[in-house]
Amino acid sequence: PGVMHVFTNTSATITTPGFPSAYPVNVAECWMRTPSCGHQVQIEFTDFNVLGSNDYITIKPAVNGVSKYFGNKHVPAKMPPKIINFPADTSVEICFNSGQVVHGHKGFSAEMAERHNTDWITSPNYPDSMDYDSRMDPPKQGYAPAIISAGFGLHPKELLELEFL
């Protein structure tokens, strides 16, 4: 029941019907985005004013265990985070529902975009160079190569030498 918009563009602006004017009663509308392989979906709410009897949005997958949101700047406790970055390769669905009574609230506007996944493991001093601290334990065989190759950019020859520390 309702309307489902499926996006394939890398970015899109999604809004409640009638935005920035008040949204109508009895609306059920959803927006869905499946990112390209190795990418993630990011949602940034630029305006949010969804408040009233049975007026809310749902976000799947849930954000920190919460999937139902409503509110405005005067009632912010149940509003969604302004920016949400979802895990790579995860489809995202936002649904808007309005009840039989609407009190002039304008709904929401959000940017839904695909971003390249940038989940990197780095040292605390990245991007500065890392100096070996003699107080640190030397790397243990089997653990250091994966972390060092991902975070410190050592070449395979150097990795082989580290295995024998």
Side-chain angles (χ1 to χ4, degrees):
V3 178
M4 170 64 83
H5 304 276
V6 178
F7 291 104
T8 56
N9 297 351
T10 55
S11 65
T13 300
I14 59 176
T15 62
T16 48
F19 184 87
S21 298
Y23 51 80
V25 299
N26 297 324
V27 173
E29 191 165 352
C30 296
W31 301 265
M32 183 172 200
R33 177 71 169 95
T34 299
S36 303
C37 185
H39 289 73
Q40 66 188 99
V41 173
Q42 179 186 69
I43 296 173
E44 180 176 356
F45 287 94
T46 55
D47 206 332
F48 195 86
N49 186 352
V50 177
L51 195 60
S53 287
N54 300 311
D55 298 354
Y56 58 91
I57 68 165
T58 57
I59 300 176
K60 294 179 186 176
V63 180
N64 297 322
V66 178
S67 62
K68 186 175 181 179
Y69 297 95
F70 53 90
N72 61 24
K73 65 182 178 183
H74 303 292
V75 187
K78 301 286 187 175
M79 288 176 56
K82 180 170 176 54
I83 297 176
I84 306 168
N85 290 301
F86 293 91
D89 304 316
T90 301
S91 294
V92 175
E93 178 184 280
I94 298 177
C95 292
F96 168 73
N97 294 281
S98 66
Q100 294 181 350
V101 177
V102 174
H103 301 283
H105 300 287
K106 63 183 179 178
F108 73 87
S109 177
E111 297 296 321
M112 182 182 274
E114 180 178 280
R115 303 278 187 240
H116 184 69
N117 184 22
T118 57
D119 292 340
W120 294 94
I121 298 172
T122 61
S123 65
N125 59 322
Y126 180 83
D128 295 330
S129 63
M130 180 167 169
D131 296 323
Y132 178 74
D133 184 341
S134 61
R135 295 172 291 166
M136 294 173 33
D137 292 333
K140 293 189 167 79
Q141 185 175 356
Y143 294 97
I147 294 172
I148 290 173
S149 66
F152 305 131
L154 296 179
H155 300 285
K157 181 180 176 195
E158 293 166 315
L159 291 178
L160 293 174
E161 292 171 7
L162 285 174
E163 289 180 4
F164 300 103
L165 288 177

